[in-house]
Amino acid sequence: MREKKPFYITTPIYYPSAKLHIGHAYCTTIADAIARYHRLAGDDVFFLTGSDEHGLKIEQKAEEAGIQPIEYTDKIVASFQALWKRLDISNDDFIRTTQKRHERVVQEIFRRIYAKGDIYKGEYKGLYCTPCESYWTEHQLDENGCCPDCHRPVQEVSEEAYFFKMSKYQDRILDYIESHPDFIQPVSRRNEMINFIKQGLDDLC
Ligand SMILES: [Zn+2]
């Protein structure tokens, strides 16, 4: 008999600033098909999806609506869950980043990283697009000096921030990817990632 193997799959946890679109349904349906395949093959499957509920855009949308961010995301998240039910998605759990069980784990991970000395305080300077919640470098901007994604004006932002010493782990990550050929699939993405890391990783804000 085939050995029963644990199999974990997750979609991205979607950002509930607005209703979902067909792209989210596409991604979740593919994950669902893979989860169902592994269940049929007898594996011990855990299939997760959820919502990523923190960020400036949600705070602003809630303010516009005159409600608390959690009230705003409660409504949108209910629409996520109704959609997955309608599409008969077989997820085993639905995680919300506002749930206590999620906060506890994140705090523990940050505590461990901090205890290892891999978090330090620095200053982040950049060109920020609020609607996209993205920082851009000068050469990424479009021909009008605006956000390359939504083409709205960007703001120069400088703030005190904490950084994770990602640069310290560059060689270990590269070694791992190179010695585990199946770790990133397909091969084209694996090569893209290897080239990206070889250019040098910055510490992460
Ligand atoms: Zn933008």
Side-chain angles (χ1 to χ4, degrees):
M1 219 181 97
R2 189 173 174 278
E3 193 194 345
K4 187 170 175 164
K5 280 188 260 173
F7 182 80
Y8 173 72
I9 188 165
T10 181
T11 68
I13 47 172
Y14 306 121
Y15 193 61
S17 63
K19 285 196 171 157
L20 295 181
H21 56 70
I22 193 85
H24 299 108
Y26 172 72
C27 179
T28 304
T29 307
I30 291 173
D32 185 59
I34 297 169
R36 286 171 188 272
Y37 165 79
H38 280 273
R39 283 191 201 106
L40 283 173
D43 290 335
D44 185 11
V45 174
F46 193 89
F47 170 23
L48 182 72
T49 187
S51 51
D52 173 13
E53 303 185 25
H54 296 102
L56 195 54
K57 197 154 54 170
I58 286 173
E59 189 186 347
Q60 289 171 343
K61 288 238 181 178
E63 208 163 75
E64 280 167 31
I67 54 177
Q68 291 298 310
I70 191 69
E71 295 175 81
Y72 183 82
T73 56
D74 276 350
K75 261 195 260 173
I76 304 269
V77 167
S79 77
F80 285 19
Q81 286 169 322
L83 178 63
W84 302 147
K85 203 168 171 206
R86 197 161 167 193
L87 290 174
D88 199 19
I89 300 299
S90 65
N91 55 299
D92 296 293
D93 200 353
F94 188 102
I95 189 91
R96 298 182 60 176
T97 57
T98 49
Q99 287 169 334
K100 279 278 167 277
R101 60 179 177 142
H102 183 266
E103 289 173 1
R104 271 198 303 273
V105 174
V106 171
Q107 280 166 358
E108 175 57 19
I109 291 169
F110 270 77
R111 195 196 58 75
R112 285 189 207 173
I113 297 171
Y114 188 76
K116 286 186 85 174
D118 285 345
I119 291 176
Y120 65 92
K121 194 188 256 183
E123 196 184 52
Y124 194 94
K125 267 198 213 126
L127 301 161
Y128 189 70
C129 176
T130 306
C132 296
E133 301 203 310
S134 298
Y135 277 103
W136 303 106
T137 61
E138 202 99 32
H139 75 265
Q140 288 175 312
L141 301 178
D142 72 6
E143 61 279 9
N144 303 314
C146 292
C147 171
D149 270 0
C150 72
H151 305 290
R152 281 179 273 222
V154 292
Q155 288 160 288
E156 209 176 302
V157 174
S158 148
E159 58 185 3
E160 202 174 57
Y162 289 91
F163 289 83
F164 169 61
K165 286 185 193 167
M166 193 154 71
S167 53
K168 182 178 144 185
Y169 292 95
Q170 180 176 321
D171 295 339
R172 268 174 69 184
I173 297 169
L174 205 53
D175 282 350
Y176 189 88
I177 295 171
E178 286 181 334
S179 59
H180 296 79
D182 293 338
F183 184 60
I184 300 174
Q185 296 173 45
V187 174
S188 58
R189 293 289 174 228
R190 179 173 177 268
N191 292 339
E192 194 181 311
M193 197 53 69
I194 287 171
N195 290 334
F196 180 79
I197 297 168
K198 279 184 173 165
Q199 283 173 17
L201 293 180
D202 291 329
D203 289 344
L204 190 67
C205 182

